[in-house]
Amino acid sequence: MSIATASNQGSVTATPMRIMVVDDSVVIRGLTARWLEEAGHKVVATCNNGRVAVDQIARAKPEIVLLDIEMPEMDGITALPLLLAKCPGVSVVVVSTLTQRNAQTSLKCLSLGAVDYLAKPESHRGVSTSVTFRHDLMIKIEGLAARHRDGVDAAMTPAMSAGMAAGMSASGAGARPIAAPGARTFRVERGAPGAAAGPSGRQFLRAPPAGGAGTSASARPGPAGHVPTAAPSYARAPAAPSRAAPTLRPVASNTPKRVLVVGASTGGPRAVGEFLTGLGPQLRHLPVLVVQHMPPVFTAVFAEHLGAQTGLPAAEAQDGEALQPGRIYVAPGGRHMGLRRNGGSGIALRLDDGAPVNFCKPAVDVLFFDAATIFGAQVLSVVLTGMGSDGTHGARAIGEAGGAVIVQDEATSTVWGMPGSIAKAGLAHEILPLRDMAGAARRYLGGSR
């Protein structure tokens, strides 16, 4: 994810949270507490190890805990279940440096009940000087606020969109077209909104400039190079969420599906594993492609975990690798994963090191658009819990191509951002609790419902 400028870091959030900071470093505790308070949150406790946090959590009553993994006396993985037992409903974000051992421990924490993870620089100086770490911290806090506050759009709050927009501008990316299947072009412009044209001619957000200008999901496509002038939907104040049931999209084709594409973010590692495990032997008959919003190192470990859970070969995708049934391909952190034709009827994986899409890299939309272009009505797409709206435009393309779109419901999602965005747009064929999604997927894979 791109960095945010300092001017946006101290903006007051619309949804203040009660937060506990647990880290053995006095420098990191102090910096993190200051950043959170500058953003309008209330830091109810700072603790130098897990034991102190366990002793204080019932009294402090935090809504969110930032929990370091490596601490003396009691580390994060030991403290986690004790914290959850003493304060049911609290959202725990594990914080660790980007090492393989810490990635393993972080994923273990997610299986034990943590809702998200945050990668931090290895040195204290790195933490104090990294606007990326500060930016990512604030974005995660804003996304999790939807778990605890009513009246907030989980897909994108004003603070999230402002920080992200500033971050994209700060990255200073120049115009860079990237070739993609189906004669599509992804373009990022300095100082102007970037958009990518999907198979239907629709546009999805690539990277807005400072100030939040960008292309909304409903923007009407124009000539090549044309930039819509309408204000983007994510820059407007969120309306109160509708309690009306979302409209389901009619199924356009009864064609059996022969490729499964999955997108997820916050809360996704546990949900993806549960969903795929539920599919059982059917996984052996089709390729499975997973985009989970994760940093590098974490995605390789995540793939190993999926392999252990499902009993299938699972690994980070390799550019040019032939697509094969019975294998799970995970988009590597920091690179987009797509598909391309590989001569004749062969299909190969395509890795893209371009700019973020929907503020994400890897992005679900990149994979979904490619899947719609190449497989059409034979695609089954599944979107699980996650922050933001990544996957919405790709889901539209898959539906228009005759493929199927299943999304997780709000009650079982950690954050109903990604699946909620698709559901609210009327693009989902089914909206289901996590426990029922594998059963529904099996019906689509057999070509009957």
Side-chain angles (χ1 to χ4, degrees):
M1 186 175 289
S2 298
I3 61 174
T5 57
S7 61
N8 287 94
Q9 303 291 357
S11 58
V12 175
T13 179
T15 55
M17 292 281 99
R18 294 173 56 84
I19 301 172
M20 170 184 277
V21 180
V22 187
D23 198 296
D24 63 326
S25 165
V26 65
V27 174
I28 294 176
R29 291 199 307 274
L31 281 172
T32 304
R34 190 185 77 203
W35 294 339
L36 292 168
E37 289 173 344
E38 286 176 353
H41 299 293
K42 181 176 179 61
V43 177
V44 294
T46 60
C47 310
N48 63 358
N49 63 59
R51 189 174 303 282
V52 175
V54 170
D55 291 341
Q56 293 191 13
I57 193 167
R59 181 172 63 256
K61 296 182 174 62
E63 294 164 301
I64 297 173
V65 174
L66 300 175
L67 180 64
D68 189 23
I69 287 180
E70 297 180 305
M71 295 179 292
E73 193 168 348
M74 182 182 287
D75 60 16
I77 195 168
T78 304
L80 175 62
L82 302 176
L83 295 171
L84 294 174
K86 286 200 168 188
C87 190
V90 69
S91 296
V92 179
V93 178
V94 293
V95 184
S96 69
T97 54
L98 283 175
T99 66
Q100 185 171 11
R101 184 168 67 87
N102 284 344
Q104 291 278 9
T105 305
S106 295
L107 289 178
K108 177 65 174 177
C109 286
L110 294 180
S111 72
L112 294 174
V115 298
D116 208 352
Y117 47 83
L118 177 64
K120 68 178 178 180
E122 292 189 19
S123 67
H124 292 170
R125 184 177 183 280
V127 171
S128 63
T129 60
S130 173
V131 289
T132 304
F133 174 68
R134 182 176 179 179
H135 174 258
D136 289 350
L137 167 66
M138 296 306 173
I139 294 301
K140 287 183 184 293
I141 295 297
E142 287 299 316
L144 290 172
R147 285 169 57 91
H148 304 276
R149 294 285 187 262
D150 291 329
V152 178
D153 184 348
M156 186 66 68
T157 67
M160 289 167 65
S161 61
M164 287 175 168
M168 290 299 179
S169 177
S171 66
R176 178 161 53 141
I178 305 168
R184 299 199 313 279
T185 299
F186 302 92
R187 179 176 292 275
V188 181
E189 301 284 356
R190 178 185 287 114
S200 63
R202 300 181 187 275
Q203 295 177 325
F204 65 95
L205 184 63
R206 175 59 112 167
T215 304
S216 71
S218 59
R220 195 172 295 169
H226 171 70
V227 176
T229 57
S233 59
Y234 64 78
R236 304 187 185 110
S242 172
R243 297 303 177 189
T247 301
L248 293 178
R249 186 172 192 166
V251 177
S253 170
N254 200 42
T255 302
K257 312 309 174 191
R258 68 183 185 99
V259 63
L260 172 61
V261 291
V262 181
S265 183
T266 307
R270 183 167 48 176
V272 172
E274 181 176 334
F275 166 69
L276 292 182
T277 301
L279 284 173
Q282 281 192 275
L283 286 176
R284 297 189 177 95
H285 304 298
L286 76 164
V288 178
L289 297 97
V290 178
V291 173
Q292 165 69 49
H293 295 161
M294 272 183 165
V297 181
F298 276 66
T299 45
V301 174
F302 177 52
E304 292 176 7
H305 280 227
L306 291 181
Q309 287 176 283
T310 62
L312 294 177
E316 284 187 324
Q318 301 293 320
D319 189 48
E321 183 178 4
L323 203 62
Q324 298 179 19
R327 299 185 67 89
I328 300 173
Y329 305 91
V330 175
R335 301 188 76 184
H336 298 302
M337 178 175 69
L339 298 165
R340 61 177 174 81
R341 298 196 180 277
N342 193 26
S345 59
I347 307 297
L349 295 169
R350 166 182 80 79
L351 297 186
D352 175 354
D353 197 29
V357 172
N358 301 321
F359 319 108
C360 304
K361 187 178 176 181
V364 177
D365 268 335
V366 172
L367 172 62
F368 279 19
F369 269 114
D370 281 3
T373 300
I374 291 176
F375 287 99
Q378 296 177 320
V379 179
L380 171 60
S381 62
V382 171
V383 178
L384 300 167
T385 173
M387 183 194 313
S389 59
D390 187 26
T392 299
H393 305 295
R396 184 186 302 276
I398 287 172
E400 290 176 351
V405 181
I406 305 175
V407 303
Q408 188 174 351
D409 73 353
E410 184 172 11
T412 62
S413 294
T414 301
V415 177
W416 206 51
M418 289 165 54
S421 175
I422 293 170
K424 293 170 187 176
L427 301 175
H429 295 100
E430 298 197 42
I431 305 167
L432 297 169
L434 179 60
R435 64 181 177 273
D436 297 335
M437 296 185 74
R442 285 194 296 269
R443 296 195 300 274
Y444 283 95
L445 295 174
S448 63
R449 287 166 295 281

